[in-house]
Amino acid sequence: MKQPRILIVEDEPLIAMMLEDILDMAGYAALGPVATVKTALEVIDRSPPDAAIVDLMLNGDDSYGVMAKLRECDIPFAVSSGFGADIDRNRAGEGTPVLGKPYNPHDLEMVLGDLLS
């Protein structure tokens, strides 16, 4: 059975590496990580993932454009943020799961299970 491919959109290298490790241990294949909106959009076009974890802020830019592209392509995603609930629900999408940083591996696995079901 093919491992679900999860796109990591994260600009902090240590957090991205930790997320890759968590995904690997949970049986997912990490795609990326990518650290910019532009690169994330290119990856989605070139090699659409099964789901994505999208950091709210990437090098000072918000990632709502990435979220819009994922919705347009019917790719489920969760938003990760150190800012908690300070996301624009209208732009992120009503009901979009939000993962706080630092990641709790159990919460991440639960969210991914819901996204992929």
Side-chain angles (χ1 to χ4, degrees):
M1 186 171 159
K2 170 178 121 82
Q3 287 182 309
R5 296 169 53 243
I6 311 301
L7 175 61
I8 299 171
V9 183
E10 173 61 62
D11 63 342
E12 293 291 332
L14 290 177
I15 294 172
M17 286 189 309
M18 181 185 71
L19 190 49
E20 284 179 293
D21 288 344
I22 294 169
L23 291 174
D24 184 54
M25 288 186 298
Y28 297 103
L31 184 59
V34 297
T36 66
V37 169
K38 180 180 186 287
T39 306
L41 296 174
E42 290 168 355
V43 169
I44 294 165
D45 281 338
R46 184 179 64 244
S47 182
D50 297 304
I53 305 296
V54 182
D55 187 11
L56 180 61
M57 296 301 295
L58 300 169
N59 297 308
D61 295 323
D62 69 55
S63 59
Y64 292 112
V66 175
M67 296 177 216
K69 179 69 172 180
L70 290 165
R71 278 194 312 279
E72 177 186 308
C73 296
D74 291 322
I75 298 168
F77 65 93
V79 177
S80 65
S81 174
F83 303 109
D86 289 346
I87 70 167
D88 184 336
R89 288 286 181 179
N90 292 324
R91 293 177 72 197
E94 205 59 44
T96 298
V98 177
L99 290 163
K101 292 181 191 177
Y103 293 106
N104 174 316
H106 180 261
D107 291 347
L108 179 60
E109 287 183 53
M110 295 285 291
V111 166
L112 287 172
D114 289 345
L115 290 176
L116 294 167
S117 64

